Amino acid sequence: MNYWIGIWLFFSIATNGFTQKTIRDESLVPPYKLPELLTTNSGKTINAGRDWEKTRRAELLKLFSENVYGKTPDKKIPLRFVVTRVDSSALGGKAIRKEITVFFGKNSGRSMEMLLYFPRSVKGPVPLFLGLNFAGNQVVHADPGISITKRWVRDGKAPAVVDHHATEASRGSQAGDWAVEDILARGFGLATIFCGDLQPDRADSFDESVHTLYYKKGQTKPEPDEWGAIGAWAWGLSRAMDYLETDTNVNARQVAVIGHSRLGKAALWAGAQDARFAMVVSNNSGEGGAALTRRKFGETIAIITNAFPHWFCGNYKNFANRENDLPIDFHGLIALIAPRPVYVASASEDWWADPKGEYLSAYHASPVYALYDYQGLTSPEPPGPDQPIGADKIGYHMRKGGHTMTRFDWAQYLNFAEKAFEKP
Ligand code: GCU
């Protein structure tokens, strides 16, 4: 063998790069050591909630910002809320439906469309789930009164999506993920926004996103430590919260932010940064979401930053095949939500998202909840399928089945939220 090829092969194997195979067998998970949550950068041990909030929480937020999702600009942009449509007897009289346009800045040309449902039978402000959707608000229910998005849609086939644009046929096409009637029947409201309003889910879409609101002169894409699409989506969830705080139908102290898969990553990041979210739900969020990345099970940093470079900040890809050098792991993301309630859900066939790694993040975040005298998850082994656990502030289940969000999932989230919000 040529000498240089030999050297190259040696280093490839040594760094586990070129030769890295996708792991889907638990016995192949490499040994790893998680970064300590309760030790500060300067080596101090945290043993009280107050110190956690004062020092360590801020350190972790900074580490996630600089290395994973990118920094979210904190300058406030003026917002304008315009109610565009209200139907006080939607869904056969069960719901009030509202549509709101949120305009960002003065004449920026950037805005997002919110769809809201409230249970008609409940008087007064209601608790609410807020989540982004994948392909326009009209996909969450077949309700003919929902406006169809005019924006670019990533996935979907004709007749529902033609040339990346949604048609009438897309109404209710992802209704299975949303359980609108179940949510309303339990006395909760629902608010949703198309993620593409904030940033189209494409690698070359920064110029069509809310990033432009913050561009410095001449800037065309984020710097390596500046926000990516997940950051933009999470920012949009916080702007939605700005609106919800003004809506008298909503109990703004009881807003749960929720998301599935890539949008579950965004929900976690939104909940980590914005403490106004009273509860956070991650449904099958996987790599870059709830899953521990050091396990390298299923999707890895190398795979995700190659397939979806725009989701994260540029720095994240520097940790491809170098997971152990990342100064944080994703139990830190769950811990950033403490002491607020958090629910992590996996699916038994969703190996790509590493169900066990999702569980372990929640488990290893438990010591931070313990600072507040809350019990987290107590066993290092996940429960079997369809056995929801976690009566206190951390909930978890692994649903039987594949990568999606179902009525079963929603039933658990509603049970957990009812307890967390102490609804009578
Ligand atoms: C891909 C991607 C995941 C992501 C998922 C989704 O499978 O690899 O990281 O969570 O898409 O958003 O459905």
Side-chain angles (χ1 to χ4, degrees):
M1 191 189 309
N2 174 304
Y3 173 79
W4 288 111
I5 294 186
I7 298 264
W8 171 73
L9 206 60
F10 171 78
F11 278 108
S12 299
I13 291 166
T15 57
N16 198 20
F18 166 72
T19 51
Q20 190 177 48
K21 279 227 181 71
T22 302
I23 298 177
R24 58 180 296 186
D25 173 348
E26 193 58 34
S27 68
L28 299 177
V29 171
Y32 59 89
K33 190 174 172 315
L34 292 178
E36 293 290 340
L37 294 182
L38 296 180
T39 309
T40 64
N41 293 345
S42 63
K44 280 208 201 92
T45 304
I46 299 284
N47 37 38
R50 215 170 0 117
D51 295 339
W52 165 260
E53 275 155 49
K54 234 177 45 205
T55 51
R56 186 59 177 153
R57 189 176 186 284
E59 287 180 1
L60 279 178
L61 258 183
K62 191 159 182 279
L63 291 170
F64 273 101
S65 296
E66 288 171 356
N67 298 294
V68 182
Y69 304 111
K71 293 186 214 151
T72 307
D74 49 18
K75 197 182 106 205
K76 282 217 164 50
I77 295 273
L79 304 178
R80 192 158 55 89
F81 309 127
V82 178
V83 182
T84 53
R85 239 180 188 189
V86 180
D87 182 347
S88 47
S89 186
L91 306 184
K94 278 187 255 157
I96 300 168
R97 182 197 342 100
K98 267 195 206 176
E99 291 186 331
I100 314 284
T101 305
V102 180
F103 290 95
F104 303 133
K106 294 195 184 95
N107 310 319
S108 72
R110 299 274 175 252
S111 60
M112 67 180 184
E113 309 294 325
M114 287 180 77
L115 165 70
L116 297 108
Y117 281 116
F118 299 108
R120 214 176 133 206
S121 57
V122 185
K123 293 262 168 306
V126 291
L128 176 137
F129 282 89
L130 164 69
L132 297 168
N133 64 70
F134 282 77
N137 296 340
Q138 79 288 346
V139 302
V140 309
H141 198 285
D143 179 354
I146 305 175
S147 304
I148 296 182
T149 185
K150 296 188 179 65
R151 298 200 208 254
W152 186 91
V153 171
R154 181 185 172 104
D155 299 314
K157 290 198 194 98
V161 178
V162 176
D163 277 344
H164 292 286
H165 282 85
T167 71
E168 280 288 329
S170 67
R171 290 191 182 284
S173 56
Q174 290 170 19
D177 282 14
W178 290 94
V180 174
E181 270 85 359
D182 296 352
I183 298 167
L184 295 172
R186 300 278 290 263
F188 284 76
L190 174 69
T192 187
I193 303 144
F194 174 35
C195 66
D197 285 8
L198 297 150
Q199 177 163 350
D201 193 2
R202 275 196 335 264
D204 64 352
S205 64
F206 287 106
D207 280 352
E208 297 163 44
S209 79
V210 293
H211 284 79
T212 60
L213 298 167
Y214 294 96
Y215 273 172
K216 292 175 220 96
K217 206 161 179 278
Q219 189 172 6
T220 55
K221 61 176 177 27
E223 300 293 334
D225 65 348
E226 288 181 337
W227 55 341
I230 292 174
W233 296 334
W235 180 89
L237 288 165
S238 285
R239 301 298 68 78
M241 189 67 201
D242 294 340
Y243 166 74
L244 294 172
E245 289 186 314
T246 70
D247 189 321
T248 52
N249 283 122
V250 181
N251 181 346
R253 290 163 173 254
Q254 298 188 340
V255 173
V257 64
I258 184 167
H260 168 61
S261 209
R262 70 199 67 181
L263 302 180
K265 308 181 209 296
L268 285 168
W269 184 225
Q273 295 176 96
D274 190 338
R276 292 175 300 169
F277 292 116
M279 171 176 155
V280 183
V281 182
S282 150
N283 190 87
N284 307 179
S285 62
E287 164 63 31
L292 289 179
T293 196
R294 277 169 173 71
R295 282 171 45 82
K296 304 184 190 182
F297 192 105
E299 191 170 28
T300 59
I301 299 179
I303 297 171
I304 204 168
T305 53
N306 185 42
F308 305 102
H310 58 295
W311 287 358
F312 301 92
C313 69
N315 285 341
Y316 194 43
K317 66 174 177 319
N318 300 337
F319 296 95
N321 307 311
R322 287 181 47 224
E323 284 80 356
N324 290 321
D325 294 337
L326 190 65
I328 33 92
D329 209 314
F330 287 79
H331 61 321
L333 185 60
I334 308 295
L336 282 170
I337 296 161
R340 292 164 290 150
V342 60
Y343 200 110
V344 174
S346 310
S348 62
E349 291 160 19
D350 189 20
W351 65 273
W352 186 243
D354 185 14
K356 185 165 183 184
E358 293 178 319
Y359 174 82
L360 285 175
S361 267
Y363 168 72
H364 287 296
S366 299
V368 177
Y369 281 80
L371 295 176
Y372 298 86
D373 287 334
Y374 293 133
Q375 194 190 6
L377 300 175
T378 50
S379 165
E381 280 307 313
D386 292 351
Q387 289 169 32
I389 58 163
D392 205 2
K393 298 282 173 183
I394 307 184
Y396 177 85
H397 72 255
M398 184 174 57
R399 173 181 41 77
K400 234 185 243 136
H403 183 71
T404 183
M405 189 149 71
T406 69
R407 285 184 82 179
F408 174 88
D409 295 319
W410 273 104
Q412 313 320 314
Y413 305 150
L414 287 160
N415 291 343
F416 190 73
E418 259 180 18
K419 255 198 232 130
F421 297 156
E422 290 171 347
K423 250 184 93 249

